[in-house]
Amino acid sequence: MSQNTFKKKIQQGASPKGNGKNIFTMIEEKLNVTGILGEGVPVHFAPPFFFAAFLALIYIWSNHRADNMIRKIEKLQQEVEDVRADVTTLEAEFMLSSKQSEVAKKIAPLGIVEIEEPPIKIIVD
């Protein structure tokens, strides 16, 4: 049978996974955040930070979309005003060209003349 022995104690600062290189240790090495945050990066603040960053991105996206929508609405309103002006002009021209005197002027070259006397009503018994 084997004997009971004590486990080796883990040294202070050594990681149990081997080389100890994960994303947070790389952040600590590159940014030297120990002066700001103390010992290590507080991982428990990561989810609220990412959630706030996500909300900020949604806010920026919605403002950008709203600005684009306002620009499109203004452009379409300008087009509607232009078309309304065109319709008014065309209606006025049509009303002028459909007058009896204007129609008579247009058909005069064809040899058709306007009747001077009123039409005769035919009554059948």
Side-chain angles (χ1 to χ4, degrees), residues 21-68:
K21 294 285 184 183
N22 61 20
I23 191 163
F24 295 108
T25 56
M26 285 192 276
I27 290 172
E28 283 184 59
E29 290 173 3
K30 299 291 181 191
L31 299 178
N32 192 14
V33 293
T34 51
I36 300 169
L37 300 173
E39 279 293 314
V41 177
V43 178
H44 63 279
F45 289 135
F49 172 75
F50 290 132
F51 180 70
F54 178 70
L55 289 179
L57 286 175
I58 290 175
Y59 179 74
I60 291 168
W61 173 78
S62 71
N63 279 343
H64 179 68
R65 185 170 163 89
D67 288 342
N68 284 343

Side-chain angles (χ1 to χ4, degrees), residues 2-124:
S2 63
Q3 272 183 329
N4 287 338
T5 59
F6 291 106
K7 291 183 179 179
K8 293 182 181 178
K9 290 186 179 181
I10 299 174
Q11 294 178 0
Q12 201 69 311
S15 67
K17 287 189 176 179
N19 65 356
K21 294 285 184 183
N22 61 20
I23 191 163
F24 295 108
T25 56
M26 285 192 276
I27 290 172
E28 283 184 59
E29 290 173 3
K30 299 291 181 191
L31 299 178
N32 192 14
V33 293
T34 51
I36 300 169
L37 300 173
E39 279 293 314
V41 177
V43 178
H44 63 279
F45 289 135
F49 172 75
F50 290 132
F51 180 70
F54 178 70
L55 289 179
L57 286 175
I58 290 175
Y59 179 74
I60 291 168
W61 173 78
S62 71
N63 279 343
H64 179 68
R65 185 170 163 89
D67 288 342
N68 284 343
M69 191 65 67
I70 289 170
R71 280 191 215 103
K72 286 180 184 178
I73 288 171
E74 289 175 355
K75 182 180 176 184
L76 289 175
Q77 284 177 343
Q78 184 64 36
E79 287 181 20
V80 166
E81 289 176 12
D82 292 343
V83 169
R84 187 176 292 138
D86 291 343
V87 166
T88 305
T89 305
L90 289 174
E91 284 178 351
E93 289 174 4
F94 178 72
M95 293 301 285
L96 178 66
S97 67
S98 64
K99 284 184 176 179
Q100 184 177 356
S101 59
E102 292 295 320
V103 172
K105 287 179 190 176
K106 288 182 183 177
I107 60 170
L110 299 174
I112 303 172
V113 292
E114 191 175 351
I115 302 175
E116 299 286 329
E117 54 197 49
I120 301 169
K121 188 174 186 181
I122 301 173
I123 301 173
V124 178

